[in-house]
Amino acid sequence: MFYAFSLLFLSPEVISQNYLSYPGQFVASNMLLSTMFHASFPHLFTNSLFLLFLGRVAEAKVGKKKWLLYYFMAGFISVFLDSVIRGLFMGSKEPVVGASGAISGLAAVSALLSPYKVVVSGKNIYFPVFLVAWVLVYSD
């Protein structure tokens, strides 16, 4: 929803200055805001599916406040490391969005905290959460 809102109401200049993080440029606000931006609608859709499944697993284990903290920490760390690796070592200037990195971080938390089960409506459903998390991280 944030993605659609930003495309409809914000100019491309505002988006590129505030919601994209560029390699080699360490602007904390851009790194944080980029965790809420997606590259395209299909990107938003697939991230939302993984977030719906894996986000619930993590939230059930750690609670809402820690879940949000993990999301932003994972997004910030992924954007920062991408900026270091691609900006300083590879010389790339292509911007990055951090939503996938944040969701990959939640996937890792979910896989570590509950690798074999999901709790739905108070019932334990045995499912290989670690496998779904691995697919997300590997495909990203």
Side-chain angles (χ1 to χ4, degrees):
M1 181 147 131
F2 183 76
Y3 176 75
F5 171 81
S6 62
L7 288 180
L8 291 174
F9 297 108
L10 299 175
S11 70
E13 293 83 24
V14 170
I15 292 172
S16 67
Q17 290 175 358
N18 297 303
Y19 295 98
L20 300 178
S21 181
Y22 293 90
Q25 298 178 4
F26 301 99
V27 181
S29 62
N30 286 32
M31 290 178 169
L32 190 63
L33 289 173
S34 73
T35 63
M36 292 182 248
F37 201 74
H38 300 270
S40 64
F41 279 110
H43 182 235
L44 172 65
F45 180 74
T46 55
N47 276 350
S48 296
L49 285 178
F50 278 110
L51 186 60
L52 177 68
F53 179 71
L54 295 170
R56 294 180 107 184
V57 172
E59 183 182 3
K61 288 289 188 178
V62 300
K64 293 179 194 279
K65 290 180 183 178
K66 284 185 181 177
W67 180 92
L68 198 59
L69 178 66
Y70 289 153
Y71 179 87
F72 284 115
M73 280 179 28
F76 189 85
I77 291 168
S78 71
V79 171
F80 177 78
L81 291 176
D82 180 80
S83 194
V84 168
I85 292 169
R86 288 191 321 122
L88 300 179
F89 298 127
M90 298 172 63
S92 175
K93 297 298 177 198
E94 289 294 317
V96 66
V97 293
S100 292
I103 293 171
S104 293
L106 281 179
V109 168
S110 298
L112 290 171
L113 294 177
S114 183
Y116 298 107
K117 71 177 179 178
V118 179
V119 178
V120 178
S121 300
K123 297 178 182 177
N124 290 332
I125 298 174
Y126 293 95
F127 187 81
V129 174
F130 72 94
L131 186 61
V132 175
W134 182 82
V135 167
L136 171 67
V137 172
Y138 182 74
S139 68
D140 200 29

